[in-house]
């Protein structure tokens, strides 16, 4: 499904150079559940942005379902993103002026194959699944941190994506709500054969995955299916 | 130091009423290290905003060093905040157009008793303490999630506050960086006699405190110094 070859990402800030990714190569098959861990600043979100087609690498190759993503146009990548990916961002990226329901409907509007009633039903259903049925009309500023995070999770799932990219999806959730979200991911992965790639800094959360990638200074230093460490 | 009596917070949203705090009473003495836990949406951030004088309760009393905060003017509360509190917000609240150094200097500018050179030195020192010495000129969008969180922590500490309010301060930090931040809080608490009130959803993090408050549906359901549970 996914093949990265020698992917590099360099940021230029005035005279400074930050090499956020330093030659990352990896393969991920359909239906895998991968946890991505590593120190703060090691390049996890940068890697997630590359995999989710949000950002182009400075160099290297990214084959997604056999297609080379790095040479696509902005529109082609945006289209691919909407079709294949559901993305839970580390800082949520919710629209401040839209309420929970409207935020979750957004990917369905972009997909252009749902009526307005279908959008409302699908968005309401997934918001109910993450326990926010009573918060549909709240805007982000009227929601708790963990509720905002769950709106971001609902938005990532509403368009039935083939690949879920989740960047610290339980960072603001108590253990019970965390378990519910992780149970939902596991169900989508095991029964829906949906590929899940999840950044987390909590070993208990990483345990839910079948494979662990460890990043350090922009490079993969460990790639294992022995989840007991 | 802090006494809350029957504090309530009610939000009105159209026809809906959300009772975020339903009669919270508690006392916190100088030098205590308190962890605040509870389910997502239980009122933790609302309680933190009340304690940190960012928001006024709908009813009830808040005595801080013997002064009634609920009857103060907006300016008096802003002054009190800057003098006594350092606040790490759950969503960081950094200025997007300022870099890390400028964000951390902000409380010092408001305090109006430092030269521009003193501000730069104090801000640089605390940013170094949280491991961001090489990121001083990066703006928030050029920082990783955990780096943004550490800028927020540095900003909370730079003005040597008497009370640190930290809302999920390690939510985006790997275990090593987390430990460093918690060690810093412990040092400030044990050696500086600084009062620390910290929201967390991780039991390992809560273990660093001496007292645990458990919130559920806007009410305190447990208040214990037995940290082994
Ligand atoms: N401005 C607002 N208008 C309406 N309701 C609000 C507003 N702000 C917060 N709420 C509601 O008040 C409740 C408490 O919110 P609060 O942010 O204190 O929760 P929390 O315990 O910090 O949750 P989390 O762990 O998810 O951060 C939530 O149910 C939230 O939806
Ligand atoms: N636009 C940018 N310009 C310059 N440097 C950047 C930019 N974005 C990120 N960086 C740097 O690239 C490095 C990797 O960032 P990234 O966000 O991928 O880290 P991360 O592993 O997700 O960290 P965290 O666990 O703290 O979220 C960091 O050191 C960061 O400062
Ligand atoms: Mg990140
Ligand atoms: Mg909160």
């Amino acid at each position: 499904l996914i093949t990265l070859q020698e992917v590099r990402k360099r940021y230029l800030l005035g005279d400074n150079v930050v090499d956020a990714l330093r030659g990352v190569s990896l393969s991920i098959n359909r239906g895998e559940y991968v946890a991505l861990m590593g120190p703060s600043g090691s390049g996890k979100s940068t890697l997630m942005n590359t995999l989710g087609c949000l950002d182009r690498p400075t160099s290297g190759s990214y084959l997604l379902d056999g297609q080379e993503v790095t040479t696509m146009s902005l529109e082609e990548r945006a289209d691919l993103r909407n079709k294949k990916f559901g993305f839970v961002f580390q800082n949520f990226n919710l629209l401040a002026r839209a309420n929970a329901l409207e935020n979750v409907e957004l990917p369905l509007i972009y997909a252009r194959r749902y009526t307005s009633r279908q959008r409302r039903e699908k968005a309401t259903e997934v918001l109910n699944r993450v326990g926010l049925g009573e918060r549909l009309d709240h805007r982000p500023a009227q929601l708790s941190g963990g509720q905002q995070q769950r709106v971001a999770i609902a938005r990532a799932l509403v368009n039935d994506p083939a690949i879920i990219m989740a960047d610290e999806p339980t960072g603001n959730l108590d253990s019970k709500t965390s378990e519910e979200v992780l149970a939902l991911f596991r169900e989508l992965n095991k029964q829906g054969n949906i590929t899940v790639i999840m950044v987390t800094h909590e070993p208990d959360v990483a345990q839910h995955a079948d494979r662990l990638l460890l990043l350090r200074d922009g490079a993969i230093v460990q790639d294992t299916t022995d989840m007991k460490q």
Side-chain angles (χ1 to χ4, degrees), chain A:
Chain A
L1 178 67
I2 285 172
T3 306
L4 296 187
Q5 291 257 35
E6 282 299 310
V7 162
R8 295 176 191 282
K9 182 70 184 181
R10 163 171 286 198
Y11 294 109
L12 301 163
L13 252 210
D15 299 334
N16 288 329
V17 169
V18 177
D19 285 314
L21 295 177
R22 303 168 189 245
V24 171
S25 304
L26 58 85
S27 292
I28 298 176
N29 298 318
R30 187 176 310 278
E32 283 201 63
Y33 191 157
V34 185
L36 177 57
M37 301 186 84
S40 175
S42 54
K44 305 180 295 298
S45 298
T46 304
L47 180 55
M48 294 288 275
N49 290 343
T50 304
L51 289 169
C53 306
L54 286 154
D55 210 10
R56 279 177 52 189
T58 308
S59 66
S61 145
Y62 176 11
L63 287 173
L64 175 65
D65 271 342
Q67 290 185 289
E68 179 56 64
V69 176
T70 59
T71 50
M72 288 183 183
S73 71
L74 215 63
E75 292 76 15
E76 288 175 298
R77 270 190 297 130
D79 236 34
L80 193 61
R81 267 203 317 268
N82 179 264
K83 280 207 189 73
K84 304 220 172 191
F85 291 96
F87 215 114
V88 188
F89 294 93
Q90 190 169 8
N91 60 355
F92 316 155
N93 278 359
L94 301 178
L95 293 189
R97 290 188 208 160
N99 63 30
L101 190 68
E102 291 159 342
N103 264 284
V104 175
E105 287 177 330
L106 216 58
L108 303 176
I109 291 173
Y110 190 93
R112 277 172 300 180
R113 47 193 171 86
Y114 300 101
T115 66
S116 107
R117 171 179 178 163
Q118 283 171 327
R119 291 197 298 258
R120 195 164 48 252
E121 287 179 356
K122 278 177 83 67
T124 302
E125 182 189 357
V126 68
L127 278 163
N128 272 309
R129 285 219 61 176
V130 295
L132 292 181
E134 318 239 311
R135 293 284 181 272
L136 301 182
D137 58 349
H138 286 231
R139 275 172 281 116
Q142 298 161 333
L143 292 171
S144 76
Q147 291 168 344
Q148 292 172 18
Q149 187 151 41
R150 282 179 278 160
V151 174
I153 290 165
R155 185 181 61 184
L157 303 181
V158 73
N159 200 19
D160 307 307
I163 308 167
I164 295 169
M165 309 291 298
D167 198 341
E168 297 278 0
T170 62
N172 284 284
L173 301 179
D174 56 283
S175 44
K176 175 160 176 293
T177 317
S178 226
E179 278 307 313
E180 289 167 13
V181 164
L182 292 169
L184 178 52
F185 284 2
R186 180 161 53 245
E187 180 186 318
L188 291 165
N189 177 249
K190 299 294 172 247
Q191 294 169 20
N193 202 32
I194 288 165
T195 311
V196 181
I197 305 170
M198 174 173 71
V199 173
T200 181
H201 68 271
E202 293 180 59
D204 290 354
V205 172
Q207 283 294 324
H208 285 79
D210 308 313
R211 177 181 173 193
L212 174 65
L213 295 173
L214 190 57
L215 211 57
R216 192 182 301 278
D217 289 326
I220 294 187
V221 297
Q222 191 174 24
D223 185 346
T224 177
T225 49
D226 175 7
M227 299 306 292
K228 272 181 259 83
Q229 356 192 348

